[in-house]
């Protein structure tokens, strides 16, 4: 009798383990790779055999529309939270809280960890709460405190960390025992952005960077193949924004326009946030409006609704936006670099890429422009978890790319 009971118990235990095992092996994998500043049309330069392989075997969008302003941190946070910057809180790579005087900056290790700036929920928070281990080999916001706001595994950002080590780090995570193994992993490469800033979008150095990051994708795919995991893993390759060449002949000097009207400002380049001294807002706005040529100036509340850039309290009273290719700065300043980004997110030159391959994606499927805020609900759908409801992204605008 006791023997029978014991074997019944072990049978139950065995079947529970089997159920658990099959559930675990079905749990999807997603690797989200970001190629900073990889403009939509760089895919057509014939330099990217691995991205082309992904296109053939998966989904490719004509372009990926970023959010405004088309800068690195606002967009990486939009991708990972499904929100516009006015809602997720990271409105620029660097900005000031006018109430406390504190500054957020991508280069400030303590600011990037400080949760006070981040108002959205990153996908890794949503996923970890629902039982999915996450990892990040770099992503803006991934170092945030306290512990429940960052992925289980993350790396402190190190600009010069060799790319091979990053890829191999991801592959190592995938070899952890199933109970510890991350099923969502991010990976990030800056080179395409950095080289185009320095040398321009048509430079040989930029082409080499495009080929180099594609080789890293090849290394990742080959590694997955070797682990026998390639057909289990969804790889999504994205970029945060595009890039456009600039010129010392296309510069607007804001201080010359404002003359003796006292003001402070944040940012220069494609967008400038102008904060007139108390009592000078209307005067400043009047002067800027009268001078509008190759730029536009808006009171914060009148920033076009399609930019979704007026609700956050740290946005200055006046937002000045240059025509694509033009720069806003102060007189006496030199134009740095040969190309940049930050302009209107509807301009095709500011668009990035979206290429995805894996068991959850359609095969050889081409679609038009996708929006980066829709990636967060897409990730939730693939993982089979509940997204946050207070997001700007919409699953119905992107779900058709899934099988
Ligand atoms: P941008 O000025 O918009 O072109 O910003 C690009 C730069 O952002 C890159 O060259 C990196 O130095 C920086 N960056 C990207 N990811 C991170 C990160 N997770 N932490 C700190 N800095 C980063
Ligand atoms: Zn960027
Ligand atoms: Zn950049």
């Amino acid at each position: 009798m006791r023997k029978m009971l014991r074997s019944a118990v072990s049978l139950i235990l065995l079947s529970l383990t089997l159920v658990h095992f099959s559930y675990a092996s079905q749990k999807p994998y997603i690797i989200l790779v970001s190629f900073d500043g990889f403009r939509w049309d760089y895919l057509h330069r014939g330099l990217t055999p691995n991205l082309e392989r992904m296109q053939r075997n998966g989904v490719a969008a004509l372009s990926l529309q970023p959010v405004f302003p088309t800068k690195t941190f606002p967009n990486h946070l939009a991708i990972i939270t499904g929100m516009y910057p006015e809602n997720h809180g990271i409105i620029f790579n660097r900005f000031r809280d006018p109430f406390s005087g504190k500054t957020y900056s991508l280069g400030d290790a303590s600011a990037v960890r400080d949760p006070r700036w981040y108002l959205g929920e990153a996908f890794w928070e949503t996923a970890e709460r629902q039982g999915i281990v996450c990892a990040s080999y770099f992503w803006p916001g991934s170092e945030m405190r306290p512990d429940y706001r960052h992925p289980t595994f993350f790396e402190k950002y190190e600009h010069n960390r060799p790319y091979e080590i990053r890829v191999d780090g991801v592959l190592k995570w995938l070899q952890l025992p199933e109970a510890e193994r991350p099923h969502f992993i991010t990976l990030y490469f800056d080179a395409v952005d950095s080289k185009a800033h320095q040398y321009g979008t048509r430079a040989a150095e930029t082409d080499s960077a495009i080929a180099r990051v594609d080789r890293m994708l090849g290394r990742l795919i080959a590694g997955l193949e070797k682990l026998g995991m390639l057909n289990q893993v969804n790889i999504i390759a994205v970029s945060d924004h595009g890039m456009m060449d600039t010129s010392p002949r296309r510069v607007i000097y804001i201080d010359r326009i404002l003359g003796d009207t006292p003001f402070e400002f944040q940012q220069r380049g494609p967008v400038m946030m102008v904060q007139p001294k108390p009592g000078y807002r209307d005067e400043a706005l009047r002067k800027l409006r009268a001078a509008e040529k190759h730029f536009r100036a808006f009171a914060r509340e009148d920033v076009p609704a399609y930019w979704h850039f007026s609700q956050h309290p740290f946005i200055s009273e006046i937002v000045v936006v240059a025509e694509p290719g033009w720069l806003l700065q102060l007189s006496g300043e030199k134009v740095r670099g040969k190309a940049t980004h930050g302009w209107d997110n509807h301009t095709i030159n500011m668009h990035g890429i979206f290429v995805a391959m894996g068991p959850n994606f359609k095969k050889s499927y081409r679609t038009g422009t996708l929006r980066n805020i829709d990636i967060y609900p897409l990730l939730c759908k693939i993982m089979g978890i509940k997204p946050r409801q207070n997001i700007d992204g919409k699953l119905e605008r992107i779900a058709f790319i899934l099988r």
Side-chain angles (χ1 to χ4, degrees):
M1 184 64 193
R2 190 180 285 173
K3 216 175 179 180
M4 256 168 70
L5 199 70
R6 211 182 296 152
S7 51
V9 167
S10 27
L11 204 69
I12 289 168
L13 281 178
L14 180 71
S15 51
L16 279 178
T17 321
L18 281 176
V19 165
H20 178 77
F21 178 75
S22 62
Y23 170 71
S25 60
Q26 278 168 7
K27 208 191 319 173
Y29 288 97
I30 304 172
I31 302 177
L32 178 63
V33 188
S34 165
F35 300 120
D36 202 312
F38 198 111
R39 198 170 67 191
W40 71 281
D41 61 326
Y42 291 173
L43 274 178
H44 311 300
R45 290 191 179 182
L47 299 168
T48 51
N50 295 293
L51 278 165
E52 282 158 32
R53 173 178 175 184
M54 277 180 65
Q55 291 195 43
R56 277 193 307 276
N57 295 315
V59 173
L62 179 64
S63 72
L64 184 64
Q65 186 184 26
V67 294
F68 179 83
T70 48
K71 292 286 187 190
T72 297
F73 269 54
N75 275 285
H76 278 87
L77 268 297
I79 292 168
I80 213 68
T81 64
M83 290 175 159
Y84 293 117
E86 66 178 4
N87 293 328
H88 69 55
I90 307 300
I91 56 171
F92 273 105
N93 291 340
R94 184 191 164 86
F95 56 94
R96 222 170 70 92
D97 168 354
F99 307 102
S100 72
K102 287 189 176 165
T103 296
Y104 178 91
S105 168
L106 57 72
D108 177 341
S110 98
V112 296
R113 286 171 191 187
D114 186 347
R116 69 195 299 276
W117 305 102
Y118 300 90
L119 311 179
E121 179 172 289
F123 175 74
W124 52 73
E125 295 174 68
T126 310
E128 296 243 357
R129 194 186 309 110
Q130 296 178 58
I132 291 153
V133 178
C134 298
S136 169
Y137 218 115
F138 302 154
W139 198 275
S142 61
E143 300 170 41
M144 209 193 314
R145 306 275 177 212
D147 282 344
Y148 65 86
R149 296 210 66 186
H150 64 70
T152 298
F153 304 98
F154 70 95
E155 292 284 323
K156 192 171 165 305
Y157 188 71
E158 199 185 293
H159 195 71
N160 295 320
R161 178 91 46 96
Y163 287 0
E164 287 80 4
I165 292 183
R166 305 181 194 192
V167 173
D168 297 352
V170 168
L171 293 168
K172 228 183 227 155
W173 279 329
L174 289 172
Q175 293 168 69
L176 287 170
E178 170 56 34
E180 298 159 44
R181 188 184 310 158
H183 278 245
F184 173 75
I185 304 176
T186 74
L187 181 56
Y188 168 85
F189 303 104
D190 69 285
V192 174
D193 179 79
S194 303
K195 294 298 175 190
H197 275 302
Q198 201 179 343
Y199 300 103
T201 62
R202 279 180 288 255
E205 289 86 347
T206 302
D207 279 351
S208 311
I210 293 168
R212 178 177 170 216
V213 298
D214 184 75
R215 277 199 304 279
M216 291 305 118
L217 187 61
R219 188 183 181 95
L220 177 69
I221 293 172
L224 290 170
E225 236 162 2
K226 212 163 147 204
L227 293 176
M229 292 182 83
L230 186 59
N231 48 22
Q232 281 172 270
V233 177
N234 295 291
I235 305 174
I236 307 176
V238 297
S239 55
D240 51 350
H241 51 72
M243 188 64 80
M244 207 172 161
D245 292 322
T246 53
S247 162
R249 290 186 309 275
R250 292 195 299 268
V251 181
I252 296 136
Y253 298 104
I254 291 297
D255 55 331
R256 289 195 195 156
I257 295 169
L258 286 175
D260 54 7
T261 306
F263 71 100
E264 286 175 3
F265 73 100
Q266 298 184 59
Q267 306 297 317
R268 40 171 72 63
V271 183
M272 188 182 276
M273 294 209 296
V274 172
Q275 183 59 53
K277 292 274 159 121
Y280 288 95
R281 189 194 89 136
D282 293 352
E283 181 182 308
L285 205 51
R286 215 180 316 116
K287 285 187 178 175
L288 286 164
R289 286 253 179 80
E292 277 185 348
K293 199 178 171 204
H294 304 302
F295 75 92
R296 295 193 65 194
F298 306 96
R300 178 175 66 197
E301 60 277 17
D302 297 329
V303 171
Y306 54 76
W307 281 338
H308 300 274
F309 195 73
S310 44
Q311 293 305 319
H312 197 283
F314 302 167
I315 298 172
S316 55
E317 282 191 299
I318 299 177
V319 178
V320 188
V321 183
E323 192 181 300
W326 284 75
L327 300 169
L328 304 161
Q329 54 187 60
L330 301 191
S331 47
E333 291 177 339
K334 269 206 166 151
V335 172
R336 284 212 210 123
K338 295 255 170 69
T340 195
H341 49 90
W343 294 286
D344 185 358
N345 60 329
H346 297 77
T347 294
I348 191 72
N349 277 327
M350 291 298 102
H351 284 210
I353 55 163
F354 180 99
V355 184
M357 161 179 101
N360 291 81
F361 288 98
K362 286 183 176 162
K363 268 195 179 322
S364 303
Y365 188 81
R366 296 293 177 106
T367 182
T369 296
L370 297 174
R371 303 187 196 194
N372 72 0
I373 50 168
D374 296 336
I375 292 175
Y376 168 94
L378 181 81
L379 298 174
C380 292
K381 176 71 181 173
I382 296 172
M383 274 305 175
I385 59 175
K386 277 209 176 81
R388 291 281 295 185
Q389 293 305 300
N390 62 340
I391 57 168
D392 300 304
K394 285 197 166 63
L395 181 62
E396 57 266 35
R397 284 193 298 238
I398 199 170
F400 57 86
I401 65 174
L402 296 175
R403 261 199 212 167

